[in-house]
Each structure stands twice: as C-alpha cells, then as structure tokens.
Amino acid sequence: MVHLLTRVGHRIEDLAVASALLAMGLLPVLEMVLRGLFSLGLPGSVGYVQNLTLWVGFLGAIIASRERRHLNLSTAKLVLPAGLNRIVESATALVSVAVGAGLFWASLQFVLIEMADPVQLGGWLPLWCVEAVLPLSFLVITLRFATQAGRLPHQLVAVCGIPIAALVGLFLAPYAQDILWPALVLLLAAALFGAPIFVALGGAALVLFFADGVPIAAIPVETYRIVVSPAIPSIPLFTLTGFLLAEGGASQRLLRLFRALFGWMPGGLVIVTALVCAFFATFTGASGVGILALGGLLLPILLKGGLPERFSLGLLTATGSIGLLFPPSLAVILYGVVAHVPIPDLFVAGLVPGALMVGSVIAFGLWQTRKAKVARIAFDFREAAAAVNGAKWEVLLPVVILAGLFGGLTTLVEAAAVSVAYTLIVTVVIHREIDAGSELLGILVRCATLVGGVFAILGIAMGVSNYMVDAQIPMQAADLIVAHVDSRLVFLLALNVFLLLVGCLMDLFSAIVVVVPLLLPIGQAFGIHPLHLGMIFLVNLELGYLTPPVGLNLFLAAYRFERPVTEIYNCVVPFLLVLLLVVLAVTYLPWLILGQ
C-alpha cells in the first residue's frame, strides 16, 4: 500500500511539473499569435508565465530531492576512512533537515504575511496560492532528506534536525551572535561532506539574518523576487529546448552536417566536435548535458577517425561548456538580471570571446593532430546538400531566435517560448522522434529536475546576496581593495585567480547570484566597464568547469566515459592551459569586448 501511494505521489509530481513547464512555453506563443492575428492578448499572461516559473523551479526541486539530484560537492568524503562515511552522512543529513525545516518555516511565514493582505494575479488568483509552493516544496524536501538518510537509526538522527531548528529559533535568539560563526563553519563542513549546495547557502542566509535580528521571511521574499523577475522564465524554456534537441535526433543530424562540410579538412573531426558541442552548450547553459548527450556518440567517431583516446577525452570534456557566451546562453541571461546590464548588449559583447574560445580549441586540436593519421572524407556535394536538408530545422533555430530577439519582434521570454514550440514541432510532428505521451513527459520531468536543482540554489542564494548588500559588504570590500591595491593589472590578475577558484567550487548560477553583487562595486572602483567585467566573470567561470579538483565537467566526463576522474584531469590539462590564454586575453584586452 505504501509503495502504491508513493508511486501515485511521484506521478502527481511529474504531471504537475510537466504541465507547468508546458504552460510556460505555450502561453507566450499563444499571446503572440492572438496579438498578431486579432490585436488581442491574454490578460495577465506575462504574470502567469513568471509565476509558473516559481512552480516549475520548486516542483522541480522536489523531484530533484526525490532523485537525489541536488548539486553538491562531496569532496571531503573522498579522503575519509570508509568507517567514518556513515557517521558523516548521518550528521550531514541532520544539518540538511535542520536547514530545510528553517526554510520551510521562513516560507510559511512569508505566505501567511501575504495572506493577510492578498494581491490577485490576473485579477482572480490570490498570489499567496502561487507562493504556497515554497513552504510545500521545503516541507517535502526536508522529509525526503530524513527518509533518505539510510536505515531507521540514521533516519531518527536526521529527524532530530527539526526540533534542533525549532530550539534555535525559539530559545537561542539572545545568543544569535555567539552561534553565528560556529554555525557557518558547520554548514561549510556539511557542504564539503555532501550536503546540497542550496542547504549550505540557505543555512548561511538563515543564521546571518537570525544573528542580525532580521525576520527570516526575508529569504523567501528574495527567492520569489528573483525567480519571477521578467527575464528568468527564459532559463527553463531554453533549457527545455536543449533537452528536446538532445533527446531527439538533432545531434546525429548536426554531426552529419558538420562532417559533410568540414570532414574533408585536416583535423575536420576536431572542428565538427567543437561546433556540435558549442551548439548544445549554448542551449543547455553549459550544464554538462552536451557531454552526457553527445559523449557516447562522438567518442567512438573520434577514435575510429584515428584520434588518440587521451586527446579525444580531453577534447570532449573541454567542449562541454564552450558555447557558454553565445545567445541564448542561460548564464549570460542570469548575469544580466543580477548585474542589471542589458542582456542583448551582453550577447553582443560575448561574440568575440566566445569565438576565441571555440577557435582556440579548434586550433590546438589541429596542431595536436597534425602528425596523427586522422581519417578524412572527400567532400561530396550531394552528401553536403543532403546533410543541409536533413539538419535545416536545427540550423534555422538560432536564426529564428536571434531574428526575433535582435529584430525587436519578441521579448527574451517570447523568443525562448518560440524556441520550445519550434523544437516541439520539429521533434514531435516533423521528425516524429519523440512520442507526445510518456516520452515527452519524461523529457519535461528531467528538464524540470535540472531546473529545480538550479533554482533551489538560485533562489536561496539571493538571501545571502541580499544580506551582503544590506550589510554593505561589497562597498566595504571595494574600499579595502582600492586602499591596498594600486595597480589595475594586479587587481585583474587577482580577480582571475579568485574567479577560477569560485568556478571550480561553486556551480555557475549560484556563483553569479552570490559573487557578482560583491564584484560590481569593486570593478566600478577600478574603472572596469560593466560589459568587460561580465565577460571576465563568465569566461573565468567557464574555465572553472574544467579546473581540478572539482570542476563539474570533469566529473560528468568521468561518469559518461566510465574513466577515473584523475585520468580525465590528465586529459584535459592541455586544453585548460589553452583556454587560460583566452581568459587572460579577455581580461587584459578590453577592446576585444568593447571594440575600442
């Protein structure tokens, strides 16, 4: 009976998040059609889409907890004796449950405050009904942290996190300043031993606000504000586009196209790999989907073509995030939202650095394979024409998005929704590669799971960011650095080192939310143009995906290719050094970005 109820509950979660994600994609398109044909619109559609983002993000976070897919570090566990792992996991689960309980209580307070003075969405739906997904999600996530702790004794230890959180909140307020630093150290340790990143950030926000006597309901307020901001719905929508492309046959068609066009050239396979991976990284936010989706397809082709295995593994790992700067990059969108920089300007600024990233990998690959007996294919006009015809819909997708976005025909969110509708038609109707039933449902759920893991971090990180801004930490840091660093070049070098460390220790999205507010006043103090600072930040964080010991793409490649992560380290080092030269060029040659 319990098993049946669990399955039913999982099915309800899947259907709810899939319906919300589909509605997000279809409402803007319907709005555009009605506006174009009848000069009518859907009243409140923009608000519906923005608030559906909250539901997609946090229903996805519930599923991420169910699947144990929340992002974490777990680096310290690698050096622990086996006997200590079980104890550490129980303690980590206890901390996770305590933080989850605190976030549930904060979110519940937020909703109760909203109920006292209700605002209506679209003139009929009380906004608190939408916001109620926050306490609901944290409640379910907290309970899952407890039940996933292992056997009953370990579950009981984890459940103790709930009364501990209540005890701290009810009775230890007079001692809040005294417990601040021990609590932050405990949260850091929990993160290193496997607690989800959002738990560490959420716990930090809770204790910081608690120590300052600020109501902890301010955390979900900031979560709601960032998640429903105007540009954010484009993130799950473009992610869905990437998932649909990856799950359909787009990768094979694009591979055939690029092989037909470039396979005759020396090192043509390197060019093909870089271009295909860049295409997918652009739509999936360098989340590693490209490595997972394309790795199994491309590695045998590279090896069969005569490329060394070590080089091939390094190439595929390095290109997993190489399209990060090209539109419609999710990282660029989020950076623009957080830094208050026009997103179209950021896209334009990223064209040259992005091209340098791709070009440098291709150039290095061509140089490395100059003596290898790499198989080449003769150029065949008929095959090239057939490949172009076969991949025409995928090739047209970026054109449709960019024409709508830069031609002033669509907003960013509308462009993202059009990309979803377009890709659905191509994969489900034209090519019939994805079944409109259970297969599409599975893709929607997997996409929402990834989005949920990101949005749990993104939303909670805003609490930490808001605390830093209120405490004037960025301005104080700027004053301190300006007082002790005289040279702009020295500051830029230190910034490179700092961002590389951030990139290999934090995921990209939480790094943007937490670190960017800290850097903006410092960059301003040194006269760094906002677009230049944005590119410095993003290229360093892109390189962070490849930086040992914990760059995300290193672990994804080790998982996908079934190799020890240390072997992946060795394979990727040459590419890391090449891309580091590009990072330095972007940092010290601002005219590459600004054109002057």
Side-chain angles (χ1 to χ4, degrees):
M1 185 64 179
V2 173
H3 182 64
L4 176 62
L5 291 175
T6 300
R7 288 180 59 189
V8 170
H10 291 178
R11 189 68 173 176
I12 291 172
E13 292 171 0
D14 292 348
L15 290 173
V17 77
S19 300
L21 187 52
L22 268 182
M24 276 187 67
L26 296 179
L27 277 176
V29 175
L30 182 58
E31 164 84 13
M32 292 173 63
V33 171
L34 291 175
R35 189 173 65 223
L37 295 179
F38 307 107
S39 298
L40 298 173
L42 291 176
S45 65
V46 173
Y48 293 143
V49 171
Q50 290 174 354
N51 283 276
L52 278 169
T53 308
L54 184 74
W55 275 70
V56 169
F58 282 88
L59 288 176
I62 289 175
I63 298 174
S65 67
R66 181 182 89 197
E67 304 295 331
R68 302 175 188 244
R69 294 288 301 276
H70 281 290
L71 292 173
N72 60 64
L73 298 177
S74 302
T75 50
K77 290 173 65 175
L78 300 176
V79 298
L80 282 179
L84 286 179
N85 267 336
R86 185 67 264 177
I87 297 173
V88 166
E89 288 174 2
S90 294
T92 300
L94 183 146
V95 173
S96 299
V97 168
V99 172
L103 293 173
F104 161 73
W105 183 247
S107 301
L108 183 60
Q109 288 182 309
F110 168 52
V111 172
L112 292 175
I113 293 170
E114 293 286 287
M115 289 176 66
D117 187 17
V119 176
Q120 291 187 329
L121 178 64
W124 65 277
L125 179 63
L127 198 55
W128 66 263
C129 293
V130 177
E131 297 160 345
V133 74
L134 288 171
L136 172 65
S137 62
F138 287 123
L139 175 62
V140 175
I141 289 170
T142 300
L143 295 176
R144 283 184 172 155
F145 282 156
T147 57
Q148 292 172 353
R151 296 182 178 179
L152 184 60
H154 302 293
Q155 292 179 5
L156 293 175
V157 170
V159 168
C160 290
I162 297 175
I164 289 174
L167 176 67
V168 171
L170 293 174
F171 300 109
L172 297 185
Y175 310 100
Q177 288 289 343
D178 298 326
I179 65 175
L180 173 60
W181 284 105
L184 291 176
V185 170
L186 178 62
L187 289 165
L188 176 61
L192 293 175
F193 287 113
I197 294 173
F198 91 85
V199 167
L201 292 172
L206 287 169
V207 297
L208 287 168
F209 280 111
F210 185 59
D212 272 10
V214 178
I216 59 174
I219 300 170
V221 169
E222 291 302 314
T223 299
Y224 178 78
R225 184 176 67 83
I226 185 65
V227 172
V228 303
S229 58
I232 292 297
S234 61
I235 292 179
L237 293 177
F238 280 129
T239 303
L240 178 57
T241 298
F243 265 83
L244 291 168
L245 290 170
E247 295 287 341
S251 56
Q252 290 89 343
R253 287 189 291 275
L254 288 170
L255 179 59
R256 180 190 180 191
L257 172 64
F258 290 132
R259 287 190 74 182
L261 296 179
F262 303 106
W264 60 272
M265 299 174 62
L269 284 179
V270 176
I271 299 173
V272 170
T273 300
L275 294 179
V276 173
C277 290
F279 182 92
F280 277 90
T282 297
F283 283 93
T284 56
S287 60
V289 171
I291 292 175
L292 299 178
L294 300 173
L297 175 67
L298 289 172
L299 182 60
I301 293 174
L302 293 173
L303 297 179
K304 186 177 179 181
L307 292 173
E309 183 180 49
R310 176 189 172 97
F311 171 83
S312 300
L313 290 171
L315 175 65
L316 290 172
T317 305
T319 52
S321 59
I322 205 168
L324 182 68
L325 299 180
F326 297 125
S329 167
L330 312 181
V332 173
I333 293 169
L334 182 58
Y335 185 92
V337 171
V338 174
H340 304 290
V341 178
I343 294 170
D345 292 350
L346 280 171
F347 281 140
V348 173
L351 292 178
V352 171
L356 283 175
M357 285 282 187
V358 176
S360 65
V361 169
I362 291 175
F364 176 70
L366 296 179
W367 183 77
Q368 283 287 93
T369 59
R370 67 195 187 283
K371 296 181 180 179
K373 296 180 179 179
V374 180
R376 294 162 59 183
I377 59 174
F379 182 79
D380 185 330
F381 181 81
R382 289 185 178 180
E383 169 61 16
V388 170
N389 183 61
K392 60 181 178 293
W393 300 111
E394 286 78 17
V395 172
L396 284 173
L397 176 58
V399 177
V400 170
I401 293 171
L402 296 178
L405 187 58
F406 291 101
L409 302 175
T410 64
T411 65
L412 182 63
V413 173
E414 288 172 343
V418 167
S419 76
V420 170
Y422 180 99
T423 312
L424 277 172
I425 292 171
V426 171
T427 55
V428 177
V429 179
I430 296 176
H431 291 299
R432 298 183 180 180
E433 296 164 328
I434 296 175
D435 177 72
S438 59
E439 191 175 1
L440 179 58
L441 175 64
I443 293 171
L444 291 167
V445 171
R446 288 194 292 277
C447 174
T449 302
L450 174 64
V451 170
V454 170
F455 273 39
I457 295 171
L458 170 62
I460 297 304
M462 279 304 297
V464 178
S465 178
N466 185 60
Y467 173 84
M468 290 195 304
V469 172
D470 287 347
Q472 296 187 329
I473 292 175
M475 297 305 299
Q476 293 174 13
D479 292 341
L480 181 64
I481 292 174
V482 170
H484 291 84
V485 178
D486 297 327
S487 170
R488 186 171 184 265
L489 295 180
V490 172
F491 165 71
L492 288 173
L493 180 60
L495 181 61
N496 284 141
V497 174
F498 171 71
L499 290 177
L500 285 175
L501 290 173
V502 169
C504 71
L505 293 174
M506 295 180 72
D507 76 284
L508 178 63
F509 294 99
S510 58
I512 291 173
V513 176
V514 174
V515 179
V516 168
L518 183 66
L519 292 182
L520 289 175
I522 304 175
Q524 186 178 15
F526 281 94
I528 301 173
H529 193 283
L531 293 176
H532 186 204
L533 183 65
M535 290 304 109
I536 293 172
F537 185 92
L538 291 171
V539 296
N540 275 278
L541 268 290
E542 180 177 347
L543 192 60
Y545 276 112
L546 303 177
T547 305
V550 289
L552 178 62
N553 282 0
L554 301 173
F555 290 98
L556 291 175
Y559 168 78
R560 184 64 184 87
F561 303 124
E562 299 180 351
R563 299 289 200 283
V565 70
T566 51
E567 181 180 343
I568 300 297
Y569 290 169
N570 293 328
C571 295
V572 86
V573 163
F575 294 92
L576 182 69
L577 296 175
V578 170
L579 290 172
L580 180 60
L581 294 177
V582 177
V583 168
L584 293 175
V586 170
T587 302
Y588 293 103
L589 302 175
W591 53 266
L592 290 173
I593 295 95
L594 304 177
Q596 57 185 7

